[in-house]
Amino acid sequence: MAKLIFKRCISLFFIAVFLFAGCKQPVQQLTKEESVTFAKEIETAIKKGDGNLLDNSFDKNEFIKRMNLPNTANGKGFSEGVSKKINIGSQIVKALSDQDNFEFIKHYVKENKHHLIFRMFTTKDESLNYHDYEILKAGGKCKIADAYIYLTGETIAETMHNMFNSLFQESLELDKYTEDEKLKAINELKEVRVLMQKGNIDGAKKLYETLPNYLKKTKTALLINVIICSRLTISEYSEAIKEFKELFPDEPNMNLIMIDGYFLQKDYIKVLAAVNALDAQINKDPFLDYHRYLAYNLLEDKISSLSCLKRLVKNMPNFQKGYIELIAVDLKNKNNSEADSLIKIYRNTPRFSQPELTTIINYYQ
């Protein structure tokens, strides 16, 4: 039953589903050059719509060790399920459109361990997340030991550990439920995610509220509720964040979560504070100038907003929305020569949406 529960519940996670490959090899010394090359290979593969490289790069034994599960039948069954299913790369590819990106932004070394940070941004809902992969070298190849997901505020191994505890730890509340009832609740949480993906937010919220309390107290479920409520009313969103904070105070992912929250609350000063705190946590990402631009623009600080926008376009020439926004600003302000220069660059970038540019031009003509 432990194996069956895991096989059903693993697909819940919006951060990833897992498929491991290979055996553990003696750990060897990594270089920065090897790490960066590996990162660029992952980025290129994702851009081509191929998630297999990332899927197959996790070190199975190292990851299972980091889950730190008990040496019991349930622990072994859970580990076995994890070891057979990881496809985070494939899930990323499925989530991205031509206008979205999964981009390598930096390499760093901490406590003699190499890390790779990637940014994931989806244009349609302007969803932002960061993945921090800790890598090692085994069998002469770069492998992934674990990954810190900024939206969840914990590593994938920690998420799996906490998930195991939420299902199998001894408690008076959990003892009230049979294995079949736990499985039913897991399937319902999975259905919540399906409804969200289909755009049925009201249906997702309604089903979420029927889940048992023990499941709704888990970090994963609470984050799902925050995402659902971010698409409902400001009061519901604020209440979801409050509930998350009460159970998980001082979580490092709150800076990322609260960017959208403060936008909805129209507290643009706090938006800027959250963006700056996130930028400090990552140790600089030029993309965050996009959110600074939006906040300053809504504060009607034209000088600061334009400065952020120009810096964004300069540092991120492949970001379509930066060009669209700057072209719109120049057309609005009758800076036709500047707009014409940007339009020429935009027209010569095949991956940029040409109909969207035409709409902007027609609007200001």
Side-chain angles (χ1 to χ4, degrees):
M1 179 59 70
K3 295 180 184 178
L4 177 59
I5 289 179
F6 176 77
K7 289 177 181 177
R8 293 292 186 88
C9 69
I10 190 66
S11 59
L12 293 174
F13 289 91
F14 48 87
I15 57 173
V17 212
F18 313 113
L19 172 63
F20 289 96
C23 300
K24 186 176 180 181
Q25 303 291 338
V27 177
Q28 302 152 22
Q29 283 295 107
L30 259 177
T31 66
K32 177 181 179 180
E33 291 71 22
E34 288 173 317
S35 303
V36 171
T37 297
F38 179 57
K40 291 181 178 178
E41 288 173 351
I42 291 175
E43 180 184 77
T44 299
I46 295 294
K47 285 181 179 178
K48 291 180 178 179
D50 180 7
N52 289 330
L53 176 61
L54 185 53
D55 289 345
N56 297 328
S57 290
F58 278 78
D59 186 289
K60 172 183 175 180
N61 290 337
E62 180 65 22
F63 183 85
I64 288 177
K65 182 175 71 174
R66 293 186 182 212
M67 284 196 294
N68 192 28
L69 300 181
N71 188 27
T72 62
N74 284 338
K76 291 176 180 178
F78 196 88
S79 295
E80 183 180 341
V82 170
S83 70
K84 292 179 178 178
K85 198 151 184 76
I86 177 170
N87 61 351
I88 183 171
S90 299
Q91 290 295 316
I92 290 170
V93 167
K94 188 184 298 184
L96 298 179
S97 72
D98 291 341
Q99 304 305 320
D100 303 333
N101 67 65
F102 183 77
E103 186 173 355
F104 169 59
I105 60 174
K106 73 175 298 183
H107 161 271
Y108 72 96
V109 178
K110 183 177 181 180
E111 298 177 353
N112 295 321
K113 296 175 181 178
H114 290 255
H115 292 257
L116 306 172
I117 298 183
F118 291 81
R119 179 201 322 108
M120 183 172 176
F121 180 76
T122 55
T123 303
K124 184 176 181 180
D125 56 4
E126 298 206 341
S127 175
L128 175 65
N129 199 359
Y130 293 91
H131 296 185
D132 184 333
Y133 294 89
E134 181 186 328
I135 61 173
L136 51 81
K137 189 175 183 180
K141 296 181 179 180
C142 289
K143 305 292 286 185
I144 297 171
D146 200 357
Y148 178 87
I149 309 299
Y150 273 65
L151 186 60
T152 66
E154 61 189 11
T155 68
I156 298 174
E158 289 171 335
T159 297
M160 294 294 99
H161 176 88
N162 294 333
M163 180 180 174
F164 175 86
N165 285 340
S166 71
L167 292 172
F168 298 110
Q169 67 183 355
E170 295 182 4
S171 71
L172 292 176
E173 186 173 5
L174 274 177
D175 288 345
K176 297 177 184 178
Y177 298 92
T178 66
E179 296 298 311
D180 285 342
E181 288 172 329
K182 292 178 185 178
L183 180 59
K184 180 175 181 290
I186 289 167
N187 285 331
E188 288 174 343
L189 186 54
K190 176 182 176 181
E191 182 60 24
V192 170
R193 292 289 302 152
V194 171
L195 291 171
M196 290 171 64
Q197 291 167 357
K198 291 181 177 179
N200 186 356
I201 304 303
D202 290 334
K205 178 62 173 175
K206 184 177 180 180
L207 182 57
Y208 176 86
E209 293 300 335
T210 68
L211 297 175
N213 286 331
Y214 78 86
L215 191 55
K216 288 195 289 186
K217 290 178 182 177
T218 64
K219 183 185 288 189
T220 298
L222 286 167
L223 282 171
I224 287 175
N225 188 44
V226 169
I227 295 171
I228 291 172
C229 292
S230 71
R231 304 177 191 178
L232 297 174
T233 66
I234 293 176
S235 61
E236 287 172 302
Y237 188 48
S238 298
E239 183 61 31
I241 291 174
K242 178 182 177 183
E243 185 178 9
F244 182 90
K245 282 185 171 181
E246 287 176 350
L247 288 175
F248 299 95
D250 304 318
E251 282 294 304
N253 60 334
M254 289 311 298
N255 291 322
L256 180 56
I257 291 173
M258 289 308 299
I259 291 175
D260 285 341
Y262 292 138
F263 266 122
L264 286 175
Q265 296 169 15
K266 299 182 179 180
D267 193 338
Y268 307 123
I269 296 296
K270 287 187 177 180
V271 168
L272 291 168
V275 168
N276 291 337
L278 176 61
D279 208 11
Q281 186 179 355
I282 297 168
N283 194 16
K284 304 303 179 184
D285 178 12
F287 176 80
L288 291 175
D289 272 330
Y290 175 61
H291 295 279
R292 292 188 182 97
Y293 154 71
L294 294 175
Y296 279 123
N297 190 48
L298 290 166
L299 286 168
E300 298 184 350
D301 184 341
K302 294 182 179 180
I303 294 176
S304 296
S305 65
L306 184 58
S307 175
C308 290
L309 190 53
K310 286 184 175 181
R311 192 166 59 232
L312 174 69
V313 170
K314 178 183 178 181
N315 293 327
M316 298 198 61
N318 294 319
F319 183 49
Q320 175 187 306
K321 289 184 74 68
Y323 272 92
I324 285 292
E325 294 290 339
L326 188 51
I327 289 170
V329 169
D330 283 336
L331 290 174
K332 180 180 178 181
N333 294 332
K334 306 299 182 183
N335 297 326
N336 295 326
S337 60
E338 290 86 346
D340 288 343
S341 297
L342 292 170
I343 289 170
K344 183 178 180 180
I345 296 172
Y346 191 104
R347 293 288 194 202
N348 290 326
T349 308
R351 67 183 297 270
F352 286 177
S353 172
Q354 301 306 318
E356 187 170 351
L357 175 62
T358 300
T359 299
I360 292 295
I361 293 173
N362 290 339
Y363 180 82
Y364 286 103
Q365 282 182 342

